[in-house]
Amino acid sequence: MQALTKRSKQVDRRPMTAMEKMYLPSIIKGMGITFSHLFKKKPTINYPEQQRPFSAVFRGVQILNRDEEGRERCTACGLCAVACPAEAITMEAAERQPGEENLYREEKYAAKYEINMLRCIFCGFCEEACPKDAIYLTQTFTPANYGREGFIYKKEDLLIPNPVTQPEEYAKAKGTIGKDIK
Amino acid sequence: MSITQILFWTLSIVALFSALMMITSKNPVYSVLWLIVTFFCISGHYILLNAQFLAIVNIIVYAGAIMVLFLFVIMLMNLGKDTEPQKSKWLKLASAVSGGCLLLVLIAVLRKTETHMADLTSGEIGLIQNLGKVLFNQYVVPFEISSILFLSAMVGAVVIGKKE
Amino acid sequence: MYLLQFDWFIVLEKFILIAAIVTIALVVAMYSTYAERKIAAFLQDRRGPNRAGPFGLLQPMADGLKLFMKEEIIPLASSKFLFILGPMLAMITATMTSAVIPWGTTIEIAGRQVPLQIADINIGILYVFGVVSLGVYGIMIGGWASNNKFSLIAAIRGASQMISYELAMGLALIAVLMISGSLRLSVIVQEQIQHGWNIIYQPLGFLIFFICALAECNRTPFDLPEAENELNFGYHQEYSSMKLGFYLFAEYINMFISSVIMATLFFGGYDIPFVNEGAWGNAWWVGVVGFGVLMLKAVLFIFLFMWIRWTIPRFRYDQLMNLGWKKLLPLALANMLLTAVVVLLLNR
């Protein structure tokens, strides 16, 4: 039979020698191996105090972006929902009323925008599909939650802080979004 | 009343009580546990007689080994009321007669013996060295014969175990 | 009756000694749980508990508190008295063994000769054996009282394991006793101080004794009561809260005590190697140093126990019985016979 990998080894099925039957040498050898691990470097990270740096292309929780004046970019075109392989995104569109120009950038906006984080696979297709730069994947985790409802993120959960009123939070939430990462 | 006497009476009362409880308990597991208490009291008596070796061997052999095997058997048996076999009248009569015979023999033996108080202060025969010397010099033949008895019992157990 | 003619100083002295030794045993057992977790972590390249207190040193307290606060469940159909008696017996038998161990030399406090041993009885090692053989009852009673088939079968499994290994252990011991010529543990230690440690004369005996000690303490590779996946857990299956804690704790006390006994029987007890500490007299600090040396040896043994636990996989039950009855018992018998012949020839 042809071997599947180059690493496959023929099993030695010869009867054990008297030395092997005593087992003690191999036990001592094994104990030596475990003992050597006492002095190895420990890969554990003390999580809340230390955090492992994310890779530059890490894809985390989505945010809905705003423009410089703090208006929502999303026009509820539904391209992200179509692109989503996990069908995690649902939205309802609404028409912008007069007097709401400082809230929404285009004439149409998303009245309801939900992402089910239990379905989302963080592939980033929504980000690629969006023609309006409205949705981005950030560098944060989805926090744990006690119920399923808590994982369905509403528009309020997803929206980035307003850059006009809360510039610091906005900058923090924005992070590396939009910057060219090589 | 010296402390030895207090200990003696306490141990005796506990021993008798636990022996009675052993006979009267409905549940055989409790019987075994009461019997173990009895053994402990007897070991206490041995210690009062300065026979430490006998005391500890009594615990190791009887409480530690034989009673464990008893417990094994009893715990594995299904001891519901309904599964208990009906004992016939004749069986009850026979057991009463044999028990009575044993009682008679015991009483007869106890009547014959002179009341001989064990010497508590200088009794050294129960210490391991003295006991060993007596066993291997004076009583070496009975000792070896009893070991043959054990050997035959062991061989018997192996034969029964080997039988398919 | 000289055993019972006491003056009250001896009562006080023994009382203090008992309290001290039991406390030490409990504290060591408590920190063994911590050490177990730390060593397991280090052998697996992890960090281990490090949240409660500096280096996680308060972890045993947290664990104990957790066990006390847990809901206590006594099965309805169990026999309640025996169910509670089981863990009690396990704890009592575990601590009782410490009574005959010589923890240090005789020291002099305020003009009184105080031996650092609770009871120097002339059947010391047999006493240890007797108490160890009683340890089976904690397991059996607990398993039976749970009124659970799995517990019962596990109890019988555990009990037969202990009985089987007690045999080989006893036979390995007999060889030591033949060399020392006494059952007194203090004499055995004195003998070793004069003629060198027993490990030199009895390497095979020590190996057998050590393996049996692993089995007696239910430690890996003989920890079948902990085999949850393949055997559906051990005799303490129905136990919860501190009763379960007592069973687990008794295991650690057993481990400590058997480490001390091994140090006493084979590694010279409180003897410091290559140093003649007999010339130091019997000031109080000599006793303390001796005690420290004994504790050091015990700690090394505990480390060995844990090291083995995190290295070797568990035996199957038939392999366990095979090893006990077909390998260790004949080996121990042969060792005993050989020692007897040698001792006889040398004495002649």
Side-chain angles (χ1 to χ4, degrees):
Chain A
M1 205 182 84
Q2 199 190 342
L4 289 172
T5 58
K6 280 178 190 164
R7 282 177 299 175
S8 70
K9 256 190 201 165
Q10 196 65 40
V11 179
D12 187 4
R13 292 200 187 282
R14 276 174 302 178
M16 285 195 286
T17 57
M19 198 63 179
E20 283 171 329
K21 269 187 187 156
M22 273 176 61
Y23 290 106
L24 282 178
S26 1
I27 286 174
I28 289 163
K29 206 172 126 195
M31 306 254 299
I33 290 172
T34 43
F35 194 75
S36 70
H37 276 262
L38 268 180
F39 310 106
K40 287 231 169 101
K41 197 176 161 286
K42 291 156 186 46
T44 318
I45 283 174
N46 282 324
Y47 168 61
E49 293 99 51
Q50 297 169 9
Q51 293 195 4
R52 203 188 290 273
F54 285 135
S55 121
V57 290
F58 182 85
R59 296 192 295 257
V61 178
Q62 291 89 343
I63 53 165
L64 288 175
N65 209 359
R66 295 176 195 266
D67 64 4
E68 307 78 48
E69 295 160 41
R71 298 178 300 186
E72 288 174 27
R73 282 174 168 273
C74 180
T75 69
C77 63
L79 279 175
C80 50
V82 170
C84 184
E87 299 187 352
I89 304 176
T90 47
M91 64 181 74
E92 257 170 40
E95 204 172 324
R96 185 179 68 184
Q97 302 299 317
E100 288 182 337
E101 286 87 356
N102 60 335
L103 291 178
Y104 310 112
R105 192 180 154 98
E106 315 277 337
E107 289 95 57
K108 198 169 128 223
Y109 70 98
K112 214 175 106 188
Y113 193 97
E114 288 179 4
I115 301 181
N116 187 341
M117 287 301 167
L118 292 173
R119 300 203 65 136
C120 180
I121 55 169
F122 304 100
C123 60
F125 282 3
C126 45
E127 182 182 324
E128 279 176 33
C130 188
K132 296 285 182 189
D133 271 1
I135 187 163
Y136 275 104
L137 273 70
T138 58
Q139 300 241 315
T140 44
F141 285 107
T142 320
N145 207 307
Y146 284 109
R148 281 167 179 267
E149 292 76 28
F151 282 109
I152 297 170
Y153 279 34
K154 307 281 180 316
K155 200 168 94 173
E156 305 83 66
D157 306 318
L158 292 164
L159 263 177
I160 199 165
N162 196 321
V164 182
T165 55
Q166 300 165 293
E168 278 172 34
E169 285 90 340
Y170 172 78
K172 203 177 155 203
K174 195 154 188 211
T176 54
I177 292 169
K179 288 181 190 136
D180 224 10
I181 299 158
K182 289 278 148 54
Chain B
M1 211 173 182
S2 74
I3 188 128
T4 316
Q5 274 174 314
I6 296 171
L7 280 173
F8 173 78
W9 286 111
T10 324
L11 282 173
S12 308
I13 290 165
V14 175
L16 285 176
F17 174 75
S18 51
L20 272 178
M21 286 304 287
M22 181 251 155
I23 300 170
T24 49
S25 321
K26 289 257 174 193
N27 192 332
V29 172
Y30 282 94
S31 285
V32 168
L33 296 178
W34 279 117
L35 191 54
I36 293 164
V37 176
T38 316
F39 282 143
F40 268 91
C41 294
I42 292 170
S43 278
H45 278 129
Y46 279 135
I47 290 175
L48 283 183
L49 291 169
N50 203 14
Q52 302 167 10
F53 178 70
L54 285 183
I56 206 72
V57 164
N58 184 40
I59 287 178
I60 293 176
V61 174
Y62 284 97
I66 292 179
M67 281 299 119
V68 171
L69 297 183
F70 268 61
L71 265 186
F72 264 38
V73 175
I74 289 170
M75 283 177 177
L76 283 178
M77 282 193 304
N78 197 7
L79 288 168
K81 266 245 171 75
D82 42 325
T83 52
E84 200 171 329
Q86 287 295 313
K87 293 186 183 80
S88 71
K89 255 184 220 158
W90 290 108
L91 207 62
K92 278 179 187 165
L93 189 69
S95 56
V97 167
S98 52
C101 284
L102 183 65
L103 188 71
L104 264 177
V105 171
L106 283 177
I107 289 172
V109 169
L110 285 177
R111 267 176 59 99
K112 279 273 175 188
T113 48
E114 300 141 39
T115 42
H116 176 75
M117 277 299 285
D119 197 355
L120 288 182
T121 42
S122 61
E124 300 263 299
I125 189 68
L127 297 184
I128 184 163
Q129 200 174 4
N130 305 331
L131 201 67
K133 276 185 178 146
V134 170
L135 270 183
F136 283 99
N137 290 320
Q138 208 172 336
Y139 297 106
V140 67
V141 177
F143 185 78
E144 293 300 331
I145 288 175
S146 66
S147 71
I148 290 174
L149 188 71
F150 277 118
L151 189 68
S152 62
M154 247 163 73
V155 170
V158 170
V159 167
I160 292 171
K162 280 270 177 190
K163 205 155 60 184
E164 287 299 313
Chain C
M1 179 68 221
Y2 70 86
L3 257 183
L4 296 163
Q5 279 170 349
F6 47 70
D7 60 324
W8 289 100
F9 279 110
I10 287 191
V11 176
L12 187 71
E13 169 194 312
K14 294 294 179 199
F15 190 78
I16 292 171
L17 202 60
I18 290 170
I21 286 169
V22 169
T23 314
I24 287 168
L26 290 179
V27 169
V28 169
M30 213 164 86
Y31 274 92
S32 299
T33 62
Y34 169 78
E36 175 104 85
R37 293 176 63 180
K38 271 289 186 196
I39 288 170
F42 286 155
L43 292 182
Q44 295 167 356
D45 297 346
R46 293 185 285 114
R47 281 172 198 274
N50 61 354
R51 293 287 138 156
F55 305 106
L57 275 173
L58 296 177
Q59 188 67 38
M61 323 275 176
D63 286 343
L65 192 69
K66 185 202 82 171
L67 280 171
F68 270 118
M69 305 303 276
K70 283 248 170 179
E71 186 187 357
E72 192 160 317
I73 298 162
I74 297 179
L76 259 187
S78 66
S79 54
K80 201 173 165 193
F81 176 69
L82 292 185
F83 192 79
I84 297 169
L85 187 71
M88 266 168 66
L89 273 180
M91 276 298 268
I92 291 171
T93 49
T95 40
M96 255 167 73
T97 334
S98 58
V100 292
I101 296 168
W103 297 88
T105 46
T106 305
I107 55 172
E108 211 174 296
I109 298 174
R112 287 178 53 83
Q113 300 283 323
V114 182
L116 288 183
Q117 186 178 16
I118 296 172
D120 189 14
I121 47 179
N122 66 359
I123 42 155
I125 199 68
L126 280 181
Y127 169 85
V128 172
F129 242 75
V131 175
V132 166
S133 66
L134 293 180
V136 177
Y137 284 111
I139 295 177
M140 293 282 286
I141 289 174
W144 183 78
S146 305
N147 197 22
N148 175 339
K149 287 187 180 99
F150 293 111
S151 295
L152 176 61
I153 291 169
I156 284 168
R157 203 190 299 127
S160 40
Q161 169 184 337
M162 285 184 83
I163 294 173
S164 310
Y165 278 80
E166 251 164 44
L167 279 174
M169 197 181 204
L171 288 175
L173 256 181
I174 288 175
V176 175
L177 298 181
M178 279 194 277
I179 291 174
S180 313
S182 175
L183 290 167
R184 256 180 220 267
L185 283 168
S186 54
V187 174
I188 293 176
V189 172
Q190 285 302 325
E191 196 77 15
Q192 290 182 72
I193 291 174
Q194 280 160 21
H195 300 118
W197 293 359
N198 276 336
I199 180 75
I200 307 166
Y201 310 115
Q202 284 291 325
L204 182 62
F206 169 70
L207 189 70
I208 293 167
F209 191 90
F210 181 70
I211 293 172
C212 294
L214 284 175
E216 292 287 314
C217 298
N218 283 331
R219 297 287 301 180
T220 318
F222 309 101
D223 60 338
L224 293 161
E226 278 182 37
E228 195 171 2
N229 340 13
E230 65 262 40
L231 290 176
N232 202 355
F233 220 51
Y235 49 88
H236 40 46
Q237 191 169 44
E238 292 285 345
Y239 281 89
S240 55
S241 174
M242 203 55 205
K243 290 206 201 65
L244 174 72
F246 275 152
Y247 268 129
L248 304 180
F249 206 62
E251 184 187 302
Y252 282 96
I253 298 176
N254 272 332
M255 195 166 84
F256 170 58
I257 297 287
S258 56
S259 301
V260 173
I261 286 176
M262 274 188 287
T264 308
L265 286 178
F266 292 96
F267 286 83
Y270 48 80
D271 177 37
I272 311 166
F274 313 116
V275 176
N276 181 21
E277 68 267 41
W280 296 348
N282 34 359
W284 63 271
W285 58 270
V286 180
V288 173
V289 168
F291 176 71
V293 169
L294 180 63
M295 287 302 272
L296 185 72
K297 288 172 187 170
V299 165
L300 286 178
F301 270 115
I302 291 176
F303 174 73
L304 186 60
F305 270 84
M306 290 172 180
W307 182 12
I308 286 175
R309 171 163 184 185
W310 299 106
T311 304
I312 302 173
R314 188 180 289 144
F315 274 112
R316 219 168 49 212
Y317 192 65
D318 60 320
Q319 291 169 333
L320 173 116
M321 283 293 155
N322 248 331
L323 181 73
W325 287 99
K326 292 189 185 165
K327 310 258 157 53
L328 290 183
L329 194 62
L331 261 180
L333 269 174
N335 183 47
M336 188 183 85
L337 278 177
L338 194 73
T339 316
V341 168
V342 171
V343 166
L344 208 64
L345 287 178
L346 285 183
N347 278 3
R348 203 162 267 177

